Amino acid sequence: GRASTLLFLITKGADVNAKDPVTGMTALMTAVVSGQDGCAMILLGHGADANTRDVVNRTALMAASQFGYKVTVERLVASGADINAKGRFILDNGQYLEGWTALMVAVVSGWSGVVQSLLDGGADVNARDQDGGTALMVAAAAGQYQVVEALIKKGADVNSRDSEGRTALMAAQARGRAAIVSLLKKAGAD
């Protein structure tokens, strides 16, 4: 299968860090996006750089976080992927979000298990995007109660404001997320 072909190519001298000239994706990124965890681990074991970025400034960890590949996320972190690297995330509507971390990507994508793995791996719970937004603000706006709870337990600043002065509490209130509003207030949000 794919793993045996990959190993054959590596033994014949294939550059595990070669980039696609159009997308900037490496074999590791392609394996991650395709859900080929075994191939990703083979590549990492043969020197693939876990922190290489594609043309939209995304790392393999960000891609794994976007697609919910929890085991791959954990293996990338264990292999030295920069858990707090910032890059660009592209929403389904084509909107670009700059300065996003793998944690923010996992939150907006709705992968609570990946969020927990990233938190356990040491992700900066208070990292900010280019607009001052945080993972907590994203989770509160999206109505992700368990994720909001996990972020608070890891020390998320419940009163943090983005560049326009908005807080997670404001985001939750604006979207009618009563349970999250209550949780945030209980945690000291004002």
Side-chain angles (χ1 to χ4, degrees), residues 127-141:
R128 295 175 171 276
D129 67 16
Q130 78 170 18
D131 298 318
T134 65
L136 182 63
M137 292 173 191
V138 173

Side-chain angles (χ1 to χ4, degrees), residues 14-187:
D15 179 2
V16 296
N17 289 309
K19 288 187 170 190
D20 178 282
V22 176
T23 65
M25 290 177 64
T26 62
L28 175 61
M29 291 174 158
T30 301
V32 167
V33 168
S34 303
Q36 298 294 320
D37 183 61
C39 290
M41 294 310 99
I42 290 168
L43 289 160
L44 287 168
H46 286 86
D49 182 354
N51 293 305
T52 299
R53 295 169 180 271
D54 65 11
V55 296
V56 295
N57 204 23
R58 177 181 61 172
T59 66
L61 182 60
M62 290 172 196
S65 298
Q66 177 181 358
F67 294 110
Y69 300 137
K70 184 178 183 291
V71 171
T72 305
V73 164
E74 292 167 351
R75 290 180 176 171
L76 285 165
V77 170
S79 297
D82 181 354
I83 201 165
N84 293 310
K86 293 184 177 185
R88 179 181 292 165
F89 180 69
I90 305 170
L91 295 174
D92 290 339
N93 66 7
Q95 178 185 359
Y96 287 84
L97 303 171
E98 297 288 346
W100 276 47
T101 64
L103 178 61
M104 292 171 182
V105 170
V107 168
V108 79
S109 300
W111 301 110
S112 59
V114 172
V115 169
Q116 192 59 55
S117 292
L118 291 166
L119 291 173
D120 292 345
D124 180 358
V125 74
N126 290 307
R128 295 175 171 276
D129 67 16
Q130 78 170 18
D131 298 318
T134 65
L136 182 63
M137 292 173 191
V138 173
Q144 296 180 25
Y145 186 92
Q146 290 177 322
V147 172
V148 170
E149 193 172 44
L151 293 167
I152 290 170
K153 284 181 184 173
K154 285 290 185 174
D157 180 356
V158 297
N159 290 309
S160 182
R161 294 182 179 274
D162 68 11
S163 59
E164 294 185 16
R166 296 173 298 213
T167 65
L169 180 61
M170 291 174 185
Q173 287 170 328
R175 287 168 184 80
R177 314 280 191 205
I180 293 176
V181 168
S182 177
L183 178 62
L184 288 165
K185 285 184 175 181
K186 188 174 169 184

